[in-house]
Amino acid sequence: MALFGNAHTIDPSQAAQDYAKLLGHGEQVQAAYQLVRDSILFTDRRLILVDKQGITGKKTEYHSIPYRSITHFAVETSGTFDLDAELKLWVSGNPLPIQKTFTKGVDIYEVQAILTQFVAR
């Protein structure tokens, strides 16, 4: 589905297997999303952004963002002509937001609700 621009959810247990090397002892994946080539993992401790780079996608950058570092966030829903939804995260110490685009197939309100659950603790 990702080849056609359809973002989708990933089973949390499958994401935990796929990214086991990134997880701390006892850390649990609560929700995960595949965004074309990139992935977003919501764990019980932090947000992990998986950024595939280059043409082949073999080079990968992993961003680990503790929820307490997120100062605020915004979601932008898709529209009539702009079919993509967007998540913007502002992290303490950085004036520019981290932006992730969600194509059709992911409910941006669900993503916002999951993020709210962890950031508002």
Side-chain angles (χ1 to χ4, degrees), residues 30-113:
Q30 303 295 312
Y33 297 91
Q34 181 71 42
L35 311 175
V36 186
R37 291 180 5 158
D38 298 342
S39 299
I40 297 178
L41 309 175
F42 292 89
T43 77
D44 56 344
R45 300 179 189 171
R46 61 195 165 128
L47 181 66
I48 301 172
L49 305 176
V50 181
D51 183 13
K52 298 279 186 174
Q53 300 178 349
I55 294 172
T56 63
K58 288 190 179 209
K59 184 176 180 181
T60 306
E61 185 173 46
Y62 301 98
H63 293 268
S64 177
I65 304 169
Y67 294 118
R68 69 181 177 280
S69 298
I70 298 173
T71 58
H72 75 278
F73 61 91
V75 294
E76 181 180 298
T77 61
S78 57
T80 303
F81 298 108
D82 182 7
L83 300 177
D84 297 336
E86 198 168 270
L87 171 67
K88 296 178 186 177
L89 299 168
W90 283 265
V91 179
S92 59
N94 190 356
L96 299 175
I98 296 169
Q99 297 180 336
K100 290 294 178 183
T101 301
F102 291 78
T103 55
K104 63 182 178 178
V106 171
D107 181 359
I108 194 68
Y109 294 108
E110 178 183 288
V111 175
Q112 185 269 333

